[in-house]
Amino acid sequence: MLEFLYKAVTFILAPVIYLKIKLSSKGSAYGDRIKELLGDIPAKDYGCPVWFHTVSVGETMGALPLIKRFHELYPDRKIVVTTSTPTGAALYRNISYVEHLYAPLDSTIAVNRFIDRLKPSAMIIMETELWPNLLARLKKNNVPVILMNARLSDRSASRYSLLGKSFNKYIGDRLTMLICQTNDDRNNFEKLGISSDKLHISGSLKFDIDVNQEKISLGEQFSQRFAPRKILCVASTHEGEDEIALNIFQKVRENIPGLLLILIPRHPERFDNVYKIAEESGFKTARKTDAEISSDVDVIIGNTMGEMHIYMSASTLVLMAGSLTDIGGHNPLEAIAVNTPVISGPYIRNFKKIFNDLVASNACVVANTENLPNVIISLLNDNNKLTELSRNAISVLNSNKGAIEKTLNLLSEKIN
């Protein structure tokens, strides 16, 4: 009965959600390919591909090194990747060995059309993107479904537990393998009734970052254009955070003359609006893509995709956004991988263990929003402390590598 109701509700909601996206400011970013959300992908032979699903930017960044390594090990296997957002899609644009599609909305019509055309040999899902209609159809087709880099917080586990045995019936039993980040994640899945035989631990893929040295060099060149000014980067802001970031910047530069802010919105449809917010706040503002940027600019809007390592390597200090309001934080390891010290606001539940491990190793600072200006001032005035944070952070990063090889070894049992 529960599954019938879910199918009925998603049958009705899918076209509504599709139209809402199409008519919103985000719709234009999908272009003509927006119809893929309804499963209408090109009808052709995809070669029974291995299908990787990475929802958006964060999951894609974590999965890219593994997908690259998978291709190196299995060069003859076709790889299709799906995302749910154009921002995630942009990160696959220049990768020749994968084909990108938009994932279907979880209605039976969209899912059936998509799978009938794709004919995947296996599906590998990054983290915890669990859709009952999709899993049901894959189970019916005997397609193995592996959850990699799986995480399940106590909070999410409590919510899923309200479903009782239905969670295992409609989700757990339809998963072939779950490769968890931590023992806590594994325990939370097991408490929901998933067989221990399906559960494995790899560590977090996000520690195995593939650093593009060319982008680091470009970042260093960018920073030299404004030397000897110090640069604060506020990375991946969401709506409501830009004003907070600009207020922090205003307070800090009263004590750090000449400080430059690189402000990077999480979603490209917000680039122009954030530019206006900064300009209307009284700051001399430019875009990264401007033909000329004045040497006395106050704020540069990072209005490009796929260049986070450039921005971060150009910076003296990175403040990870998503943590200034209750979004849950973003991955601090991107900054650490390019040897730039990183701090965060208080809302870090999405990366709680990573942040806790970093803080415990004196490799990162997590502070209340109102105290962030003082923290930033103190760090920017103490080069030794900045160096110490970077050194300790790199140590934490290196000591946690290895999840890719563990994950690939486990995948080989199910996809060969």
Side-chain angles (χ1 to χ4, degrees), residues 79 289 300 325 388:
I79 299 174
T289 55
I300 297 174
T325 59
E388 182 184 16

Side-chain angles (χ1 to χ4, degrees), residues 5 31 46 58 66 84 88 96 123 141 231 241 252 271 299 327 331 362 388:
L5 288 173
Y46 290 91
L66 182 136
S84 300
S96 61
M123 182 179 188
N141 284 28
I231 300 176
E241 291 192 304
V252 172
F271 288 161
V299 179
I327 302 297
N331 183 10
N362 191 26
E388 182 184 16

Side-chain angles (χ1 to χ4, degrees), residues 230 316 378-388:
K230 293 181 178 179
T316 314
S378 176
L379 288 173
L380 291 179
N381 280 323
D382 190 343
N383 289 333
N384 289 334
K385 181 63 176 177
L386 289 173
T387 301
E388 182 184 16

Side-chain angles (χ1 to χ4, degrees), residues 55-169:
V55 187
S56 192
V57 174
E59 295 83 3
T60 299
M61 290 299 295
L64 276 171
L66 182 136
I67 295 172
K68 178 182 178 182
R69 182 77 179 113
F70 181 90
H71 171 67
E72 291 170 352
L73 290 174
Y74 306 102
D76 296 329
R77 300 295 293 265
K78 298 293 185 181
I79 299 174
V80 165
V81 296
T82 55
T83 64
S84 300
T85 68
T87 51
L91 299 178
Y92 290 111
R93 189 168 293 143
N94 297 317
I95 302 178
S96 61
Y97 51 83
V98 305
E99 180 167 358
H100 174 270
L101 299 168
Y102 286 112
L105 297 170
D106 198 44
S107 75
T108 51
I109 292 176
V111 164
N112 288 342
R113 181 186 294 128
F114 187 95
I115 293 176
D116 284 343
R117 293 183 182 180
L118 185 66
K119 296 180 174 61
S121 59
M123 182 179 188
I124 303 167
I125 303 171
M126 182 69 170
E127 297 191 0
T128 317
E129 186 81 355
L130 303 171
W131 295 104
N133 288 330
L134 176 62
L135 295 178
R137 178 57 198 273
L138 291 169
K139 180 76 171 180
K140 181 180 178 181
N141 284 28
N142 294 315
V143 176
V145 181
I146 297 102
L147 203 61
M148 71 175 184
N149 212 49
R151 60 187 175 111
L152 188 65
S153 66
D154 294 343
R155 181 179 179 183
S156 295
S158 296
R159 290 176 178 172
Y160 279 129
S161 68
L162 297 175
L163 296 173
K165 293 182 179 180
S166 295
F167 175 85
N168 229 14
K169 182 177 181 181

